[in-house]
Amino acid sequence: MANIENRIRRLRFDNNEMTQEELAQKAGCTRQTIIALEQDKYVPSIELAFKIARVFGVTLEEVFQYKL
């Protein structure tokens, strides 16, 4: 896949162990999308990436990192 890594699983745990379903509802996507993101099998649209960051109240770079 692309060289995009994320900290979604860690951020969910740090936010009162938020479930994948709760995050999906708050970000406006499906649980399957969150699963694929956490497994690095899917790169989100920029819009979804920003929505996920906003759910956690952090910057985009705190959720997603580009690795060369």
Side-chain angles (χ1 to χ4, degrees), residues 18-41:
M18 180 186 297
T19 66
Q20 292 170 331
E21 183 63 34
E22 288 170 326
L23 175 57
Q25 288 176 357
K26 291 178 180 185
C29 65
T30 65
R31 179 174 172 263
Q32 288 75 19
T33 298
I34 301 301
I35 291 167
L37 285 167
E38 288 185 354
Q39 294 175 350
D40 292 325
K41 293 182 178 179

Side-chain angles (χ1 to χ4, degrees), residues 2-8 11 59-68:
N3 295 327
I4 304 287
E5 296 178 355
N6 71 72
R7 298 181 58 237
I8 294 173
L11 288 163
T59 66
L60 194 61
E61 293 81 10
E62 290 177 85
V63 182
F64 299 96
Q65 301 80 40
Y66 179 72
K67 301 295 180 186
L68 295 176

